[in-house]
Structure formats: C-alpha cells, structure tokens
Amino acid sequence: MESAEQNYFVGFHVHYYIFTDHPEEVPDVKLGQGHQLTVMTVGSSNRWQEMTLRRMERLEKLIESRLVNEADYVFSLDVDSKFYARWGVETLGRLVGAIHPGYFKTQREHLPYERRPESQAFIPYSDGDYYYGGAVLGGAVKDVYEVAKTCREQLDIDAAKSIEAAWQEESHLNKYFLYNKPSKLLSPEYLWQAHLPQPKEVKIIRSCHVIKNYAAVRPNP
Ligand SMILES: CC(=O)N[C@H]1[C@@H](OP(=O)(O)OP(=O)(O)OC[C@H]2O[C@@H](n3ccc(=O)[nH]c3=O)[C@H](O)[C@@H]2O)O[C@H](CO)[C@H](O)[C@@H]1O
Ligand SMILES: [Mn+2]
C-alpha cells in the first residue's frame, strides 16, 4: 500500500479494495488526496489454488455490487505487488492485460497454457499468442466484468468435472484473452517477479511481485 501510494495513479481518484482473511492485519496507511481504502473480509481456504482462482468470482461480485455505480476503470492486482515507478493513466484502456515476465521470449508451443481438452481453459498447441500474467487484469468496468464472469463460469464447469487448470484463473484468463483480445497490452515492466534477473530490454520495473516464503504464507505446498 505504501509503495502504491507513491506510484499508483497519484493525483487521481483511487478506491482500493483489499480482500483478506485477516482484516486486522491490514496496516493503517496514510492515503493521498482522493484515495480511499475498503477492506473486504473473505473466507479462508486450505488450498492456495482455491484462494487465487476465487478472485474471479470476487471481482464479478464487487463490480455488480459497487463498481458499476462508482468507477470507470478497475484493475485487479495480486496482493503481493510492490510498486517502484509510475503506474498511471497510460495503463487505461477498454480491456488491459500484462505479458507475464517469465514467458515474453517463449515460443508459443512452449507457453504454459492449459493443454488438456477436458478443461474449459484448453488451448491447442496450434493456437495462442502471448502468455498473460494472472496478476494484472484491468480496463473499463463493463469489459472487466465480462472477463470475470466468463472465467468464473468456466472455473465452475471445470470444478464440477473435478479438473483444475494448470495455473488456475490465469489459464482461464489466457483462454479468454486469446479469443477476446485485450485492447491494451502492458509490458512486463508492469508485472515483474523479484526472483527474475532484470534483462537489458526491461529498463524500468514498475511493479514487482515480492519474494515470499511460501511455507509461511501458503496453507499448502
Ligand atoms: C506474476 C503472476 O502473474 N502471478 C500469477 C501466478 O502466481 P504467483 O506466484 O504470483 O502467486 P501468488 O502467491 O501471488 O498468488 C496469487 C494471488 O492470489 C491471492 N492469494 C494466493 C494465495 C493465498 O493463500 N491467498 C491469496 O490471497 C493473492 O492475491 C496473491 O497475490 O499464478 C497465480 C495462479 O496460479 C495467479 O494467476 C498469479 O496472479
Ligand atoms: Mn503474485
């Protein structure tokens, strides 16, 4: 939150919604003018995969209940994002995704899409273009709503068949974006991971996922 306040839409109206099963641990951060924060308490799970994939349903519900009436644009971001440089209006568009930092040089047949036809997230080896990170999904509220609702429905169909896509909601997001192209693609500058070395092509890291002690923060391996 502190790094977001330094870099994320500074000078614009921002309403953060933080989803957590530990609301009492959200620190009291001094927010800039026009910025506000609402903590949303959510149930826990004994599987991290369930926590991450449930975000589609939470986003769908948040848009239905609040954002349709209060926002033009929305970004859904991983909670472990830390900001190092400006993230501003250049990121806005009808539908916005970010290239995953681990796969921007990977040939498409090696991209980690879901490859089992039984899953709704299935992408055949002959298809695909970019590999999008699940940590960033944004755009106009109505367009993001369509993504969240569709992915939630596809996740439900998979769950009913007891199949979980290779990378949970990220796999379903990749399927959605393949056939419903985002209008704007953010470079991995906006979605970096701290354990990756910074290659020469990437001049600025704007947002980065912190290194975490998985044994401590995840309920299961
Ligand atoms: C860089 C990037 O694109 N990262 C994606 C990647 O993993 P990551 O390695 O970035 O996963 P992660 O541990 O950050 O989990 C994804 C997010 O799910 C939430 N969470 C997760 C675990 C938990 O116990 N509680 C909780 O709230 C939280 O917002 C977290 O940031 O794959 C995930 C799905 O498999 C998501 O698509 C992530 O966005
Ligand atoms: Mn993350």
Side-chain angles (χ1 to χ4, degrees), residues 189-207:
E189 282 178 17
Y190 290 86
L191 173 47
W192 201 254
Q193 286 178 305
H195 66 267
L196 296 172
Q198 184 174 349
K200 62 180 185 326
E201 298 92 330
V202 178
K203 308 290 182 213
I204 301 176
I205 289 173
R206 296 174 189 277
S207 176

Side-chain angles (χ1 to χ4, degrees), residues 33 67 84 92 109 114 143 168 171 177 179 208:
Q33 201 180 4
L67 302 192
Y84 293 92
L92 297 179
E109 60 272 24
E114 174 54 57
D143 293 86
Q168 296 78 37
S171 304
F177 276 165
Y179 300 111
C208 188

